[in-house]
Amino acid sequence: MGFNNEGVFEAVERLKKEQRVLIGGNIGKNKITPNKEAAKDYLICFDALFQYVDYFVVNVSSPNTPNLRELQDKDALRVIFKTLKDSRDKMRETANGFKEKPLFVKISPDNSFEQIDDILSLVEEFDLTGIVATNTTISREGLKTGSTEVEAIGAGGLSGKPVQDRSDEVVRYIRNKNQDIVLIGVGGIKTGQDARQKMEAGADLVQVYSCFIYAGPKMVSEITKAIA
């Protein structure tokens, strides 16, 4: 597994075409890059995409890239944030027409509240815009499919409805801890009511992934109407 794609520079070529919507750059390290060198991968993506996206998400929480979640540890995450902040500060000083880009971090639903507290402290320390909560889960609790079949399917992140309640819980916890950061809620949103529930938990914005595949584009208008 991993973030399988044709690479950041291919993405840049596609993004050079005219865009009429907001684009987020969700950046992560290569599967084969050791964690101790991960900041270099994030920096390459950050610098290459900077003028072509509207905001960034530092993805350190996907369970589909081996050992990626270890980068949520406070010391490892501080290195990544500092590396990106230093690059952004340098651009601000030297680039003509510099435009600030919001910076988020995407976290796991499987983190303990103590781990979330550590991440929040870094978000405040480096003045990040906010948090995307949450990524997919490694938990297999509450599934209707038998355990033998689930084990045969193998490792990877579970998304959709099974992660909804925990995602809501994490969103609610973060909002209670910090009233100022921008919070993007994601996990199990399929209906307008799901989106309202996420926002009532404390999310400012919502994201959809798996359920978009099953419900199709129509769900977007249903969600926006429910929120309105």
Side-chain angles (χ1 to χ4, degrees), residues 19 28 43 56 91 113 144 156 163 174 201 209 212 222:
Q19 301 291 340
L43 179 61
F56 281 95
M91 290 183 204
F113 289 138
K144 295 179 180 179
V163 76
I174 293 172
Y209 281 93
F212 186 81
E222 293 176 351

Side-chain angles (χ1 to χ4, degrees), residues 81-119:
F81 288 164
K82 186 179 186 309
T83 299
L84 300 185
K85 181 180 182 297
D86 288 348
S87 177
R88 185 175 61 181
D89 290 347
K90 185 176 180 180
M91 290 183 204
R92 186 184 292 111
E93 294 172 359
T94 60
N96 293 325
F98 175 83
K99 183 179 180 181
E100 196 72 65
K101 301 295 170 75
L103 186 60
F104 294 81
V105 59
K106 188 171 188 178
I107 68 171
S108 164
D110 305 316
N111 286 334
S112 67
F113 289 138
E114 289 77 13
Q115 289 172 313
I116 294 173
D117 287 342
D118 283 345
I119 293 171

